[in-house]
Amino acid sequence: MRTQVAIVGAGPAGLMLSHLLRLEGIDSIILENRSREYIESRIRAGLIEQWASDLLVETGVGERMQREGMFHNGVYFAFAGALHYINFRELVGKGITIYGQQEVIKDLVARRLADGGQILFEVADVSVHDLGGKAPKIRFQHAGKQHEIVCDFIGGCDGFHGICRPSIPASALTAYDREYPFNWVGILSESPPPEHELIYSYHDRGFALYTMRSPTLARLYVQCPPDDDIENWPDTRIWQELHARLGGTRPLAEGTMLQKGITTMRSFVLEPMQYGRLFLAGDSAHIQPPTGAKGMNLALADVLVLCRAITKYYRSGNTDLLERYSATCLRRVWKAQRFSWWMTQLFHLDPNHNAFDRRRQLAELDYVTSSQAAARSMAENYTGLPVEA
Ligand code: APR
Ligand code: PHB
């Protein structure tokens, strides 16, 4: 087999890269180790920054999102028993869209297949070779047979647990990371969310987040200890914490729990995001705690930068954008990391904090929700920083 760009992973990064390349007339093949059913039902966060939802619409994969997604003009911060609204629309003229990541996946898969794109599901034993040369290769098993793809570039879009990052010699990379002394218990509940907008709640019992997937489907999270097991969280305990941490600011309806799980918290960045002709994009190169909801957005930003660089190469033979790929992405990645860390340290009950830190957090919450300058900075970061041209 031969293609221009071979892509490992059919998450938001891999699928969007393939879609953007096709719009430029560039061929790609996606290799995914899971089934189509699996990736289309995997529940992840679902917050899309303004520029990213514009990109989905402009490139013809945003129609269902425009119909079914929930557009938000701002967000609530709850602390000291009251809700405080940060109005993104007034502050920066932008908003965000809530639309499940698996819905974006479904739309991209449908579009790639309708366009004649090749996605090989349930491949096994994927390995990458000759990364330093002009004709890198990918070997894998599919339907019981061994295959090899020869290509010009490899898109390493296989997430945090993929094989692309570990295929790069460790001596060529530097990893930066931080673990947090807490995680989240998350549920999907057949009940209306307590508010039309999202609520981030600061509380002495720990952080809680009230978001949604539709007017009748709530997505709710409570902070839990880092080594906690979901077995320790019977439904009654989750509802009790969700009620308490809303601090009486809104009534909370209970519903049937459709899903329940632990979301882990970690910040991680790998530098550089490239080795020879292997380009890492999305979670394979960086992850962040979900407090800032940046995961899918960073994946989309990386592949937009990568597609522009690859397109320039095929149009003119010029490799300058390819050479700058990692540096261009990392400038934005680090700002998103900074913001995700900032939101995380602002809201969580941290066992390493003392009474001074709790007062400092409250002062900062008060500042962000009462100063236009501080609120505008928060709104600018939350709705998404621009992607460098
Ligand atoms: N071979 C083939 N495919 C693989 C392999 C492998 N060895 N390892 C992982 N994959 C696939 C996974 O099954 C998954 O479908 O790669 C895909 C990676 O997708 P994501 O994990 O969704 O990562 P990414 O596309 O970078 O999107 C980042 O996803 O994890 C969330 O919160 C994160 O929203 C963020 C977004
Ligand atoms: C979600 O809707 O799942 C969500 C929203 C915002 C976050 C995290 C998760 O910060």
Side-chain angles (χ1 to χ4, degrees):
M1 288 190 210
R2 149 97 217 154
T3 191
Q4 290 174 294
V5 183
I7 299 170
V8 188
L15 288 164
M16 191 64 180
L17 177 59
S18 181
H19 174 58
L20 292 173
L21 289 170
R22 133 99 199 181
L23 296 177
E24 300 294 345
I26 299 166
D27 289 335
S28 64
I29 299 177
I30 303 179
L31 305 176
E32 166 60 51
N33 63 0
R34 302 288 194 158
S35 68
R36 180 175 177 183
E37 295 67 37
Y38 183 90
I39 65 161
E40 289 188 343
S41 56
R42 184 165 47 193
I43 297 189
R44 298 271 181 78
L47 188 148
I48 308 180
E49 294 172 353
Q50 179 77 62
W51 73 271
S53 58
D54 293 345
L55 179 71
L56 294 174
V57 172
E58 282 158 17
T59 63
V61 285
E63 198 192 306
R64 197 163 64 91
M65 175 196 68
Q66 282 181 303
R67 234 180 19 247
E68 297 175 16
M70 298 173 82
F71 190 78
H72 292 261
N73 282 311
V75 75
Y76 283 100
F77 282 4
F79 59 94
L83 287 186
H84 304 262
Y85 190 54
I86 299 183
N87 191 325
F88 301 150
R89 172 82 23 212
E90 279 177 12
L91 290 161
V92 292
K94 295 187 209 170
I96 56 101
T97 303
I98 290 284
Y99 186 62
Q101 181 170 305
Q102 75 273 25
E103 305 305 323
V104 176
I105 297 289
K106 283 182 207 162
D107 296 343
L108 284 168
V109 168
R111 179 61 193 262
R112 282 312 293 125
L113 296 177
D115 286 344
Q118 258 188 294
I119 309 174
L120 303 183
F121 292 102
E122 298 179 78
V123 302
D125 296 331
V126 177
S127 58
V128 294
H129 304 273
D130 302 337
L131 303 176
K134 288 211 156 139
K137 293 164 195 71
I138 302 192
R139 301 199 182 106
F140 61 100
Q141 303 259 350
H142 188 237
K145 289 203 184 107
Q146 181 68 31
H147 298 269
E148 181 179 270
I149 301 182
V150 181
C151 57
D152 299 327
F153 302 101
I154 297 176
C157 303
D158 51 351
F160 190 61
H161 302 287
I163 55 95
C164 288
R165 188 179 67 246
S167 305
I168 302 175
S171 58
L173 300 173
T174 308
Y176 300 86
D177 74 341
R178 167 174 294 242
E179 292 193 12
Y180 297 90
F182 38 76
N183 283 327
W184 290 2
V185 171
I187 64 162
L188 191 64
S189 165
E190 258 179 337
S191 50
E195 240 301 332
H196 166 70
E197 305 280 35
L198 279 65
I199 302 175
Y200 287 79
S201 181
Y202 177 91
H203 197 274
D204 283 341
R205 300 180 72 90
F207 170 71
L209 171 62
Y210 306 80
T211 163
M212 70 286 296
R213 287 295 173 271
S214 79
T216 56
L217 205 54
R219 179 86 174 134
L220 308 167
Y221 302 94
V222 289
Q223 173 186 348
C224 67
D227 46 5
D228 214 350
D229 195 292
I230 197 68
E231 301 303 317
N232 298 331
W233 287 87
D235 296 7
T236 47
R237 180 176 177 209
I238 297 177
W239 286 117
Q240 201 180 359
E241 289 302 322
L242 284 166
H243 284 293
R245 297 182 195 188
L246 203 46
T249 54
R250 286 286 182 278
L252 176 69
E254 297 185 12
T256 308
M257 285 190 196
L258 302 179
Q259 195 253 354
K260 185 163 135 176
I262 301 242
T263 301
T264 54
M265 310 281 282
R266 187 168 180 185
S267 298
F268 172 89
V269 181
L270 187 82
E271 295 191 7
M273 290 168 56
Q274 176 207 353
Y275 180 76
R277 291 203 167 206
L278 168 63
F279 292 83
L280 302 177
D283 274 18
S284 71
H286 42 72
I287 52 171
Q288 45 289 313
T291 329
K294 294 296 176 213
M296 174 166 40
N297 298 292
L298 281 181
L300 296 176
D302 288 350
V303 299
L304 181 57
V305 173
L306 183 55
C307 177
R308 286 175 182 158
I310 291 175
T311 303
K312 182 164 185 187
Y313 168 81
Y314 281 119
R315 296 275 146 79
S316 66
N318 190 325
T319 57
D320 63 343
L321 292 186
L322 283 169
E323 283 153 26
R324 290 214 302 271
Y325 168 74
S326 177
T328 304
C329 288
L330 285 168
R331 282 187 69 198
R332 192 172 184 283
V333 163
W334 273 111
K335 285 178 211 125
Q337 286 288 347
R338 199 258 341 145
F339 180 71
S340 302
W341 164 85
W342 176 79
M343 285 282 285
T344 303
Q345 62 80 36
L346 179 58
F347 275 100
H348 288 79
L349 182 64
D350 187 326
N352 304 314
H353 281 173
N354 65 14
F356 174 88
D357 294 293
R358 295 300 278 173
R359 284 285 189 278
R360 173 185 60 76
Q361 286 174 316
L362 280 169
E364 187 152 12
L365 286 163
D366 185 14
Y367 175 54
V368 174
T369 52
S370 60
S371 151
Q372 273 247 339
R376 183 169 292 133
S377 164
M378 186 277 169
E380 180 185 34
N381 282 279
Y382 195 93
T383 57
L385 294 174
V387 180
E388 227 176 281

